[in-house]
Amino acid sequence: MGRSHLPRAAVACLLALLVTGGFAYAQIGGGGEFGNIPPIFAPDPLPDRDFVVCRLMYNQVRREQAGGGWRTDYPYGEINLSIRFSELTRTRVSSNEQSRRPNHFVVRLTDAALFQCPFTMASDVGTIGLSPEEAAKLRAYLLKGGFLWVDDFWGTPAWEQWTSEIAKVLDPRDYPIVDVPLSDPVFHSQFSVQEVPQITNIGFWRRSGGLETRERFEDSPFAEFKAIRDADGRIMVVMTHNTDVADSWEREGEDPEFFLQFSPYGYALGINVLLHAMTH
């Protein structure tokens, strides 16, 4: 279980490039730091015009098993994705000259810097709660051309919480949540993704002996890729439900078997989404 489908040539190419580049997490170190990194808030203006991921900080109003609220997969999910994005594409990625790491910023929905962020990401959004002011700011950001990817939320209760909150932002009568078919250009920006990968967090994967990917079992039978589009059809919000794509980035250097089973598929999808967001 947990295997997605890419053409064999694409898998071989990705593996060669990823391994040649070295494990991103191993390159930057940071063992034992997970969950203990103080947030680096996005400055206004950003330090340069190169690509950067902004992590949304939100209020957590309920809890999910193994969830960490807005900190879930922070910061090594976006750090490693940014490293691979710079290696596998020609995109200029914003970096910190002193640490030699890609820049990664945290932004509140009420921060003016939100509108400087080209790409925002949030995890464990089955626990999110939005105030009226936050909902209004997120609506303005998305309708002005912003992009949000929400990931790593599992099962029915988490889905219902997320959809009730995003409905405060974008009225579902005007901006419905839709399934994205595999024929959509977002799945073919650079790599041909033929299935949405169901990726579990590494702890759950280890406890299952590497055999189970459904973190909520019967209530998370397969991964879903859904979106909200604007009036012109541009994707504003991507939702990867019943999968933890960011763990394939964050934990890529911890276990070679986990890396081989999940990371090429997670990076293929991640890079496709980034390129689509930047070019649409």
Side-chain angles (χ1 to χ4, degrees):
M1 300 179 70
R3 293 276 186 177
S4 185
H5 294 289
L6 287 169
R8 289 185 179 180
V11 173
C13 179
L14 261 173
L15 281 171
L17 290 168
L18 293 173
V19 173
T20 300
F23 291 142
Y25 177 73
Q27 288 177 332
I28 61 175
E33 294 182 72
F34 291 108
N36 297 316
I37 303 296
I40 301 173
F41 287 99
D44 184 18
L46 297 180
D48 53 50
R49 298 179 64 85
D50 295 339
F51 179 82
V52 68
V53 176
C54 293
R55 167 77 59 158
L56 287 189
M57 176 184 281
Y58 61 80
N59 291 320
Q60 187 177 12
V61 297
R62 59 184 296 273
R63 292 196 175 275
E64 280 285 322
Q65 181 181 354
W70 75 265
R71 287 183 175 275
T72 303
D73 300 317
Y74 170 83
Y76 291 109
E78 46 262 57
I79 289 174
N80 289 354
L81 177 61
S82 297
I83 290 171
R84 297 310 195 180
F85 195 41
S86 68
E87 292 173 342
L88 299 175
T89 75
R90 297 181 178 180
T91 307
R92 291 177 57 91
V93 171
S94 181
S95 63
N96 184 303
E97 293 183 2
Q98 292 181 333
S99 68
R100 295 186 301 160
R101 294 179 178 180
N103 280 321
H104 56 93
F105 297 121
V106 173
V107 64
R108 305 178 190 90
L109 288 170
T110 53
D111 292 344
L114 173 66
F115 293 88
Q116 300 291 321
C117 294
F119 186 94
T120 56
M121 191 150 194
S123 294
D124 194 25
V125 293
T127 71
I128 195 172
L130 298 175
S131 69
E133 181 184 8
E134 289 171 330
K137 289 294 179 64
L138 182 54
R139 181 186 311 114
Y141 168 75
L142 294 171
L143 293 177
K144 285 178 179 289
F147 193 99
L148 170 64
W149 184 356
V150 298
D151 178 54
D152 192 10
F153 61 121
W154 297 75
T156 303
W159 176 257
E160 290 177 347
Q161 177 67 25
W162 162 249
T163 54
S164 69
E165 294 302 298
I166 195 64
K168 300 176 183 178
V169 177
L170 298 166
D171 190 325
R173 293 171 295 183
D174 299 319
Y175 303 102
I177 295 172
V178 297
D179 291 306
V180 181
L182 291 170
S183 59
D184 192 273
V186 71
F187 290 112
H188 306 280
S189 303
Q190 177 156 316
F191 301 101
S192 181
V193 172
Q194 299 174 1
E195 183 180 355
V196 180
Q198 186 170 64
I199 300 169
T200 178
N201 77 73
I202 196 169
F204 182 91
W205 176 79
R206 285 171 171 159
R207 290 191 297 274
S208 76
L211 299 175
E212 179 62 77
T213 60
R214 302 169 302 158
E215 289 193 18
R216 299 297 183 270
F217 299 100
E218 289 79 7
D219 197 28
S220 55
F222 53 85
E224 298 181 293
F225 189 105
K226 297 178 182 288
I228 300 175
R229 300 177 183 269
D230 68 11
D232 296 319
R234 176 185 68 90
I235 294 178
M236 298 183 287
V237 184
V238 157
M239 291 155 271
T240 42
H241 178 235
N242 291 336
T243 186
D244 185 358
V245 179
D247 224 49
S248 71
W249 317 326
E250 180 190 21
R251 306 291 182 139
E252 66 151 77
E254 288 191 43
D255 189 310
E257 291 185 14
F258 184 84
F259 172 85
L260 290 170
Q261 184 169 344
F262 297 116
S263 292
Y265 308 99
Y267 278 118
L269 182 60
I271 288 168
N272 279 359
V273 172
L274 294 188
L275 288 174
H276 189 85
M278 291 177 61
T279 56
H280 292 75

